[in-house]
Amino acid sequence: MQRQDKKRSAIFCLCWQALESSGKHMQEFKLDKKYITLMKVCLVVFTVFLALGFSLPFLPDENAGNPNGTLMATVFCTAVFGFFAILTWRALKKLPFADVAADDDGLWYMHVGKDKGLIAWEKIHKVKERQYAQRLDLLGIDNKELLRVEYQLMGFEILREVLNERAGAQNEDLNKSSFSKGPLYHFFCFACVIGFSALGLYVGKSGNPLLGYGAMSVLVVFIIYEYLVTAAGVKITDNSIKVAYPFREINIPLDDIENVVIADEFDNGNRVPEVWIITKNAKKPFKLKQLGADSNLVYKTVKTATRL
């Protein structure tokens, strides 16, 4: 695991050095064609289900049994699949304009061209993470959107590393010394433990002990374990990085830190960024995820503190 982390970090560094040393040499980041194909397939599927739902009242014998149920099913299918079809269609319209290019001067949309669309690195005030939209928004000094960087761009990891090195240096949020999960996170975990425990007791007493006492116990233990091993906060001091867990805190001296990288987990095709602190003594990296701030901000702040 640690060897793979070091390899990932080395690749990022080499890619950045290559772009930096190339001077005015342009590097292109184009949308993955597989993603475009997937979106087209989704549009076809949503449209088919929309048509099927809309046609339910007109099918033979469909209204004989429960006409109200048929009408409700039609309204539901039309609303749900119609919404997703429109959403997918609008996204597809924008995809041809998502490709970007970058060089030592800045970056720009490829369909606009550098002469008209160049955004200089120093004009980018903030790199804002849009996890649910699966993109990064590049914001100016007035917090107005300058450019969007889609997660599905080929070579996105390289471009993100370049952005974190070259853009947003004037962001005041970089002065923060601590990040943490909010109270809602702890409440949600506590509520899940109580809720599933109560559900397990109810199901067990109702005549299904295997599902109630067995399966629910395993689920509750898993939730508690994940809660205990997930970092809930990080604090930066002059000499160390303190990673806080629900009932303990680990102090990592700056001299013990080998590297800080921003990595990704993939959940149902969605990219979920997280910050990894790789140390000399620990077998696994310390993972910082969803600490009430953009992962890019946490990454830049921690990496600046470690002087890497």
Side-chain angles (χ1 to χ4, degrees), residues 4 14-15 29 40 44 72 115 119 154 162 168 175 228 265 297:
Q4 292 177 351
L14 287 173
C15 291
F29 301 90
K40 291 180 179 179
V44 172
M72 290 296 295
D115 292 339
I119 299 173
M154 292 185 293
V162 174
N175 297 323
L228 294 176
E265 287 187 352
L297 177 61

Side-chain angles (χ1 to χ4, degrees), residues 61 105 121 177 234:
D61 300 327
D105 295 328
W121 298 115
S177 60
V234 62

Side-chain angles (χ1 to χ4, degrees), residues 69-294:
T70 301
L71 180 60
M72 290 296 295
T74 298
V75 172
F76 176 80
C77 290
T78 302
V80 173
F81 293 111
F83 171 78
F84 284 110
I86 293 173
L87 200 66
T88 306
W89 176 71
R90 292 184 62 183
L92 275 170
K93 287 180 62 179
K94 297 178 181 178
L95 292 185
F97 310 107
D99 298 345
V100 300
D103 65 9
D104 197 51
D105 295 328
L107 72 168
W108 60 92
Y109 285 122
M110 290 181 60
H111 71 277
V112 177
K114 181 178 179 179
D115 292 339
K116 295 181 179 180
L118 175 66
I119 299 173
W121 298 115
E122 58 270 16
K123 289 185 178 180
I124 302 173
H125 176 68
K126 184 184 296 185
V127 178
K128 188 172 182 61
E129 191 175 82
R130 300 286 190 183
Q131 183 174 325
Y132 295 108
Q134 291 287 282
R135 70 170 190 263
L136 299 177
D137 286 352
L138 309 186
L139 308 179
I141 189 68
D142 52 359
N143 281 331
K144 289 185 178 180
E145 182 183 296
L146 301 175
L147 187 142
R148 295 180 178 183
V149 177
E150 304 291 339
Y151 283 2
Q152 293 79 19
L153 291 174
M154 292 185 293
F156 169 79
E157 295 88 352
I158 301 172
L159 181 55
R160 179 176 58 189
E161 187 71 10
V162 174
L163 284 168
N164 282 320
E165 291 287 343
R166 298 294 300 269
Q170 68 273 41
N171 187 353
E172 295 179 356
D173 292 336
L174 291 172
N175 297 323
K176 293 183 65 174
S177 60
S178 63
F179 304 92
S180 63
K181 294 182 180 293
L184 186 61
Y185 164 79
H186 301 282
F187 174 79
F188 177 76
C189 292
F190 178 76
C192 285
V193 171
I194 298 299
F196 284 115
S197 297
L199 181 61
L201 290 173
Y202 174 78
V203 174
K205 290 181 179 180
S206 298
N208 196 335
L210 182 61
L211 177 61
Y213 300 136
M216 289 299 171
S217 296
V218 172
L219 179 59
V220 169
V221 170
F222 175 78
I223 293 173
I224 294 175
Y225 172 78
E226 285 295 316
Y227 177 70
L228 294 176
V229 301
T230 300
V234 62
K235 185 176 182 180
I236 301 168
T237 67
D238 293 335
N239 302 314
S240 66
I241 303 290
K242 296 181 179 181
V243 181
Y245 296 86
F247 300 105
R248 62 192 177 104
E249 185 177 80
I250 297 179
N251 188 66
I252 309 173
L254 295 182
D255 294 339
D256 189 40
I257 298 175
E258 285 191 335
N259 210 342
V260 179
V261 300
I262 183 168
D264 298 288
E265 287 187 352
F266 288 89
D267 183 18
N268 295 323
N270 290 330
R271 186 188 295 268
V272 183
E274 58 187 25
V275 178
W276 292 5
I277 301 177
I278 303 171
T279 63
K280 300 174 183 177
N281 299 319
K283 294 182 179 180
K284 295 182 179 180
F286 295 91
K287 298 182 179 182
L288 310 178
K289 181 179 178 180
Q290 297 179 345
L291 296 182
D294 287 5

